[in-house]
Amino acid sequence: MIIHTSKTDLSHSMHSIVELKGVKCGYRCGYCGNAWGKASYGMWSHSMTVQDYQDLIDRGWRRSGKYVYKPIMNKTCCPQYTIRCHALNFNPTKTHKKTLKRMNKFLSNGEMPVERSDGKIEGEPMDSAHEEGVRPPPQDLLKIDHTDVEEFTTSPDTDSKSTAHLTPREDPAPTPPEKTLHVAPKPGKGADPNRPMCRKAKDIRKERRLQKDEQKQQEGASTSVTPVPLKSTSNQPKLLEDFISESFPTDPLHRLEVRLVRSNPPSPQFKASFDASYQLYKLYQIAIHMDPPEKTTESQFKRFLCDSPLEAKTAPDGPDVGYGSFHQQYWLDGRIVAVGVLDILPSCVSSVYLYYHPDFSSLSLGTYSALREIAFTKQLQKQSPKLSYYYLGFYVHSCPKMRYKGHYRPSDLLCPETYVWVPIERCLPHLDTSAYSRLNEDAKAGDAQALRDVGRALVLHRRAVMPYAAYARKRKGSSDEKDAEQYAGLVGQTCAERILLYRS
């Protein structure tokens, strides 16, 4: 069946339209510094439904602007595994709690964390991994994975200091090793047998409480006094929302407001704040990533973080804000200090990127914004029960500084062969052995969406929508069947039958 349509009809249709760009190999890896190590497939997306993009990222794809790419996992030097966090069951770590408490202290009284001499905040990873990813046409475009903004301040290959081989907490020895090693301990007399054994302070306190309770019961037996329990039954661990919504003084020193504005199509609020947002992005790229000012242009900013192929959509069972692409702006005392770029999809909130004011880097805004986005996902789930995951982009186990994403638990990694989700705890032993792993331990399992019939894949040719089989009959002698099979295999049979593959 062939459906004829016009460009106007297509621009307002509910179809996704993609143009295959093929394989890109041998470009620089921002994780390990290999100049020729990365490899990926790529497509240019003219339009994309939120359901199609949800299905694509569940097959290892990811977007940068309107460019959609998928790492070739068994060829790229640093395999990138799609990772998702179960937002409803998320348990913040001690590091996460410290980050939230530091932000609350800053808002209350202006107390800023003090950076160590190595630029780190105690208990926090460094901000920002600088990943050079696929460069979409027509102009080179820097691709950086959003929550990777939690790790490096410089690319790994630029750190040439003499102490680069040391771990973060390791310092050069102050004296030559031969003067400090093999020193025998001085002889001692040992424990005094006439003194009682040492006891833990908490055991002593517990014993005293029990003695007091027994004494009170004896003294007040006639009045039937109920003994006080040793532990309060209401002493439950604080939830993520409790830390975020912690009460402040009546007159806090700073006020933080988080605003969600639709970036595509741009809402009036997005347009009103565009210049301030762009100036913040430019400042961030120059200060944190050392980008030349001439490359951080307004048009580059629009292509990278404002343009999106995702349709804006509302649904009766969807969140009130709708689906699509958004900017979550952090306004501190009336000015933007950070922006998280998000996609809201049928099953998840997908983190795209974060940029922030360098003056506030000590507040660990990368971690803080990720925690706020997890809380935001939980909020949306109350309106849309299916929307319960927070996608952090890619997890790169072969790069130790990128493993922090695995601390947002419970979380799963996507098997690159069967496209099923596997709890990260079961994946780590495999990744410790090999950078690339199947992850799914069921040897008999396969890809449920594997290509079955390329002839049923939809094609857009000369303003007409048709199955690939009909297109091949019209184009006798066409030599693009291998490309079509590769494309349909990568997106899966279901998406191949929904998405329109543009053919000239």
Side-chain angles (χ1 to χ4, degrees), residues 45 71 77 149 161 174 181 187 194 202 247-248 265 267 273 309 339-340 382 392 399 446 449 452 460 484:
S45 179
C77 55
V149 178
K161 295 181 181 180
L181 297 179
N194 297 320
K202 66 177 183 180
S247 59
F248 294 103
S267 66
S273 59
V339 177
K382 295 176 181 179
L392 295 95
C399 179
Q449 290 296 320
R452 298 183 299 275
L460 174 63

Side-chain angles (χ1 to χ4, degrees), residues 332-450:
L332 179 67
D333 301 333
R335 64 165 177 158
I336 299 180
V337 296
V339 177
V341 183
L342 305 174
D343 291 331
I344 300 179
L345 305 175
S347 300
C348 73
V349 170
S350 176
S351 176
V352 179
Y353 195 65
L354 173 84
Y355 55 96
Y356 56 84
H357 199 294
D359 287 353
F360 299 96
S361 60
S362 64
L363 290 173
S364 304
L365 292 177
T367 299
Y368 181 76
S369 65
L371 296 171
R372 292 291 301 239
E373 288 165 11
I374 292 174
F376 178 55
T377 304
K378 296 175 72 173
Q379 177 185 336
L380 295 181
Q381 194 275 338
K382 295 176 181 179
Q383 305 166 9
S384 180
K386 186 182 175 183
L387 203 164
S388 58
Y389 297 102
Y390 175 63
Y391 284 47
L392 295 95
F394 288 132
Y395 173 82
V396 188
H397 191 76
S398 58
C399 179
K401 291 186 177 180
M402 293 307 300
R403 295 180 185 178
Y404 73 94
K405 292 184 182 182
H407 299 156
Y408 293 84
R409 295 191 182 185
S411 58
D412 306 317
L413 298 185
L414 186 69
C415 175
E417 296 182 11
T418 62
Y419 302 109
V420 299
W421 294 99
V422 183
I424 193 170
E425 294 86 355
R426 286 165 44 191
C427 301
L428 297 182
H430 299 289
L431 298 179
D432 285 337
T433 303
S434 173
Y436 172 76
S437 176
R438 170 185 164 93
L439 299 185
N440 189 344
E441 296 173 343
D442 183 358
K444 297 181 180 179
D447 177 9
Q449 290 296 320

Side-chain angles (χ1 to χ4, degrees), residues 62-217:
R62 189 160 171 80
R63 77 173 184 89
S64 173
K66 290 188 174 183
Y67 190 72
V68 187
Y69 63 97
K70 174 180 169 65
I72 305 177
M73 298 289 280
N74 58 353
K75 290 185 178 180
T76 192
C77 55
C78 294
Q80 298 152 264
Y81 297 85
T82 303
I83 182 172
R84 72 178 186 182
C85 171
H86 296 248
L88 300 186
N89 300 320
F90 170 70
N91 296 309
T93 65
K94 289 183 179 180
T95 296
H96 297 151
K97 293 175 183 178
K98 286 180 181 179
T99 299
L100 294 168
K101 289 177 180 178
R102 281 197 293 265
M103 174 61 79
N104 290 341
K105 284 183 180 179
F106 168 73
L107 296 175
S108 296
N109 54 34
E111 180 181 337
M112 285 284 281
V114 179
E115 295 187 13
R116 300 195 321 227
S117 59
D118 59 2
K120 292 186 179 181
I121 306 299
E122 183 182 357
E124 285 296 317
M126 280 304 290
D127 282 334
S128 190
H130 195 70
E131 176 194 351
E132 287 188 5
V134 187
R135 298 179 180 273
Q139 184 173 335
D140 285 354
L141 176 64
L142 177 66
K143 202 294 298 177
I144 307 175
D145 190 5
H146 151 338
T147 43
D148 294 351
V149 178
E150 263 309 287
E151 289 305 323
F152 306 116
T153 50
T154 59
S155 299
D157 61 330
T158 61
D159 188 3
S160 59
K161 295 181 181 180
S162 60
T163 58
H165 64 285
L166 301 176
T167 59
R169 295 184 181 274
E170 189 177 3
D171 296 315
T175 56
E178 61 271 14
K179 294 185 180 181
T180 57
L181 297 179
H182 309 297
V183 179
K186 294 181 179 180
K189 296 180 180 180
D192 186 350
N194 297 320
R195 300 184 63 181
M197 296 289 290
C198 293
R199 299 171 61 196
K200 292 183 178 180
K202 66 177 183 180
D203 292 335
I204 296 174
R205 290 194 298 269
K206 183 176 180 181
E207 183 178 316
R208 287 175 179 171
R209 283 198 301 268
L210 290 172
Q211 291 175 351
K212 287 182 179 179
D213 290 339
E214 290 176 0
Q215 185 178 357
K216 287 181 180 179
Q217 287 180 3

Side-chain angles (χ1 to χ4, degrees), residues 315-337:
D317 59 346
D320 293 342
V321 296
Y323 299 111
S325 297
F326 298 82
H327 282 197
Q328 195 165 52
Q329 302 172 339
Y330 294 78
W331 290 76
L332 179 67
D333 301 333
R335 64 165 177 158
I336 299 180
V337 296

